Amino acid sequence: MIGNATFRHHNTALLAVSSIEAPVVVKSSDFDARLAPSLKRLKLSKRLLERVAGVEERRWWAPGTDFDDAAIEAGAKALAEAGIDASQVGLLINTSVTRRNLEPSVAVKVHNGLGLPSSAMNFDVANACLGFVNGMSLAATMIDSGQIKYALIVAGEDAQATQETTFRRLNAETSTRDDYLREFATLTLGSGAAAAVIGPADLHPEGHRILGGVSRAGTQHHELCVGGPDGMYTDTKGLLDNGLELVTDAWHEAHTDGWDWRSMDRYVTHQVSNSYTNAIIKAVNLVKNRVPITFPKWGNVGPASLPMTLAQESQSLNPGDRVLCMGVGSGLNTAMMEIAW
């Protein structure tokens, strides 16, 4: 392939990545109890979420906490950790899937809540679970060009409302086994928030260099996973099979263009389930003990999933470690980004 599938950044560093865990732990056994009427009627076994997806629990926000408030908290935390004042930020990108309105953007509340300057551009980048990686790449390009100096990327997700609606629908007398299977992925979702600050590498030698990566689109599969306020409907097998093909194509494209990711110190992947993670590991021959796993306790936190996992891993990474962020979003799209820690 020729074109822009692979890309390189020249003067951009990750200065901080932070996460906020939603405080209310909701176990998969609690979901089984909520769905007991339909599971019994449809002759479906309990513990499918744990046995099939590997999701033991996920988190919800406490009453009175909104997802965008959590994004503001994560952003403030990341700025403090990076030592960057809000007045220095030239760009805010919100990458949340969750949103309250079609307009205005979620970014405007985050911008206001953080007290960012009027000169700071702000907008949403929506690309399903891949949004955060896309946001980092876009911001890095703008830093490389000299248009901005510092960027803040955030994501805040809230799965509760969608899951409550799904419970009601699946417990209806008219629901079928096919309905349960199509909406199974909705039950793996979780709530959380993350933020990252990036800036010019030449001014921050202590930062973690964002080197570049690869992206690939398989948009002929855009109907395999469709989500909205009322629920998410997924062709699980089709999503896994075609997602794996797209990831494998992107992996080989990157290596053809000079990248070498076969011996990274950490592979930080978008967190979905046991089957997804194991299939990715097998497809491109990753070293399994270098792939951190967070979905059993957080579930799939959408675009916040990958940066939340990276924030957790940052505590054990050492200078010189090589990290590959690997994301896939419904649509289908995939991207991989190397960071030199």
Side-chain angles (χ1 to χ4, degrees):
M1 173 179 286
I2 59 173
N4 61 350
T6 61
F7 51 91
R8 285 169 170 77
H9 298 298
H10 307 290
N11 187 38
T12 306
L14 174 67
L15 307 184
V17 57
S18 66
S19 67
I20 303 293
E21 291 188 15
V24 180
V25 176
V26 186
K27 296 183 178 298
S28 289
S29 58
D30 298 330
F31 277 21
D32 284 343
R34 293 282 298 270
L35 290 166
S38 65
L39 291 173
K40 181 178 181 180
R41 179 174 56 83
L42 299 173
K43 296 181 173 56
L44 291 167
S45 62
K46 295 181 178 180
R47 301 190 68 245
L48 283 176
L49 283 163
E50 294 182 51
R51 289 192 292 103
V52 176
V55 177
E56 300 167 6
E57 60 188 42
R58 79 284 296 137
R59 293 166 182 266
W60 286 353
W61 297 112
T65 300
D66 289 329
F67 73 96
D68 40 15
D69 293 326
I72 292 169
E73 183 181 353
K77 183 180 178 183
L79 287 171
E81 291 176 358
I84 301 300
D85 190 81
S87 63
Q88 297 175 272
V89 176
L91 172 68
L92 166 73
I93 302 178
N94 166 69
T95 64
S96 306
V97 168
T98 305
R99 59 189 313 110
R100 187 176 298 102
N101 313 299
L102 290 177
E103 59 176 312
S105 68
V106 176
V108 296
K109 179 177 176 179
V110 179
H111 183 282
N112 180 68
L114 289 170
L116 300 185
S118 177
S119 57
M121 290 179 285
N122 60 96
F123 48 81
D124 293 352
V125 167
N127 197 19
C129 295
L130 195 60
F132 203 96
V133 177
N134 293 150
M136 289 182 66
S137 181
L138 175 59
T141 299
M142 294 175 69
I143 291 170
D144 279 348
S145 74
Q147 184 176 355
I148 60 169
K149 186 169 287 186
Y150 296 104
L152 177 64
I153 298 91
V154 303
E157 302 301 334
D158 189 349
Q160 182 176 356
T162 299
Q163 289 171 333
E164 295 280 10
T165 302
T166 302
F167 291 148
R168 291 192 292 271
R169 189 162 45 245
L170 293 181
N171 274 330
E173 287 295 326
T174 54
S175 68
T176 66
R177 290 173 68 98
D178 286 344
D179 291 332
Y180 191 92
L181 295 175
R182 284 190 297 116
E183 299 199 52
F184 182 78
T186 306
L187 305 177
T188 69
L189 299 176
S191 305
V197 177
I198 62 177
D202 57 359
L203 297 182
H204 295 274
E206 79 286 358
H208 317 298
R209 288 293 298 270
I210 299 175
L211 300 180
V214 62
S215 66
R216 269 287 184 94
T219 53
Q220 67 272 29
H221 305 299
H222 65 274
E223 295 183 344
L224 293 178
C225 181
V226 179
D230 293 333
M232 184 169 70
Y233 305 90
T234 304
D235 175 348
T236 305
K237 185 178 186 304
L239 196 65
L240 177 61
D241 291 346
N242 291 289
L244 279 178
E245 182 179 356
L246 191 64
V247 167
T248 303
D249 286 347
W251 176 273
H252 292 305
E253 171 73 12
H255 284 78
T256 299
D257 199 40
W259 295 98
D260 185 359
W261 295 330
R262 288 165 290 192
S263 58
M264 306 297 284
D265 296 287
R266 213 69 52 91
Y267 298 93
V268 180
T269 65
H270 171 57
Q271 301 286 310
V272 179
S273 66
N274 271 329
S275 56
Y276 169 86
T277 302
N278 291 333
I280 291 290
I281 290 171
K282 182 177 180 181
V284 293
N285 197 29
L286 303 182
V287 181
K288 190 170 185 177
N289 63 8
R290 298 181 185 178
V291 182
I293 304 298
T294 57
F295 63 79
K297 63 176 180 176
W298 291 340
N300 175 359
V301 201
S305 171
L306 190 153
M308 287 178 69
T309 304
L310 180 61
Q312 173 184 280
E313 292 303 298
S314 68
Q315 307 305 311
S316 60
L317 289 169
N318 299 308
D321 283 349
R322 299 175 65 209
V323 179
L324 186 66
C325 297
M326 304 175 67
V328 178
S330 58
L332 290 169
N333 286 289
T334 189
M336 302 173 195
M337 173 181 286
E338 181 177 347
I339 302 174
W341 213 259

